[in-house]
Amino acid sequence: MTRMSVTKELSANDTGETGGHQAGILVPKQKELLSFFPPLDARQYNPRVHIMFEDTAKERWEFAFIYYNNRNFGGTRNEYRLTRMTRYIREAGLVEGDSILLSRAEDGKYAITYKRKSEPHKDVGNVLKLRSGWRIIKI
């Protein structure tokens, strides 16, 4: 079964270590990265889709992929974010430098796992390095 995977090295802001409030993890506007997520209709105000991810323990996690596009409606924001991840990050005990790995199978099912920064890094296949700690892994 073919999978598409993306990985994000978490910042202190992503994990809540800075004490600041943010609305999820920023997803760069890179076409290949955005294609991992379901499409959003930019003509709608702040379109979003909820995605169910399954972890290695078979627990299901519901995250939201949102295009904050109020700039197109007189506001200032124009960014994609993956939100509703705080509980997962806290329960997994993730910290700055750890990475999350999101995968999507051909059947459309999504999975999530993580890698501690202290674990050796293993890339599978070709990797496209992106800004903001995101990478696409072609398997």
Side-chain angles (χ1 to χ4, degrees):
M1 181 180 306
T2 303
R3 285 176 119 30
M4 179 178 184
S5 299
V6 296
T7 185
K8 167 70 164 86
E9 183 177 315
L10 299 172
S11 68
N13 202 39
D14 294 334
T15 62
E17 293 172 69
T18 62
H21 171 73
Q22 67 169 10
I25 297 174
L26 182 69
V27 178
K29 293 180 205 164
Q30 203 272 346
K31 185 178 179 180
E32 193 171 9
L33 179 59
L34 292 176
S35 72
F36 173 82
F37 299 99
L40 299 174
D41 185 353
R43 297 171 298 177
Q44 294 179 0
Y45 180 76
N46 293 342
R48 71 193 68 212
V49 63
H50 292 259
I51 308 169
M52 294 301 295
F53 284 84
E54 189 174 280
D55 67 17
T56 55
K58 304 295 183 201
E59 186 170 349
R60 293 173 52 95
W61 301 86
E62 183 178 330
F63 304 144
F65 177 58
I66 303 172
Y67 177 33
Y68 288 109
N69 65 351
N70 69 19
R71 185 178 194 177
N72 300 335
F73 298 88
T76 59
R77 292 180 78 180
N78 183 24
E79 62 195 24
Y80 291 89
R81 293 209 173 249
L82 191 59
T83 66
R84 301 186 63 173
M85 297 188 73
T86 303
R87 189 172 134 251
Y88 177 82
I89 289 170
R90 286 185 181 151
E91 287 189 20
L94 300 177
V95 297
E96 178 183 12
D98 291 345
S99 297
I100 55 168
L101 175 70
L102 308 174
S103 299
R104 184 188 72 219
E106 277 183 357
D107 63 5
K109 291 183 180 178
Y110 287 86
I112 186 169
T113 189
Y114 59 86
K115 182 188 81 60
R116 305 266 181 219
K117 64 183 169 186
S118 59
E119 296 173 358
H121 184 71
K122 298 176 203 166
D123 280 330
V124 179
N126 298 320
V127 176
L128 173 62
K129 186 151 181 117
L130 301 171
R131 65 176 191 229
S132 303
W134 282 94
R135 289 180 295 131
I136 296 172
I137 300 174
K138 297 178 182 179
I139 299 174

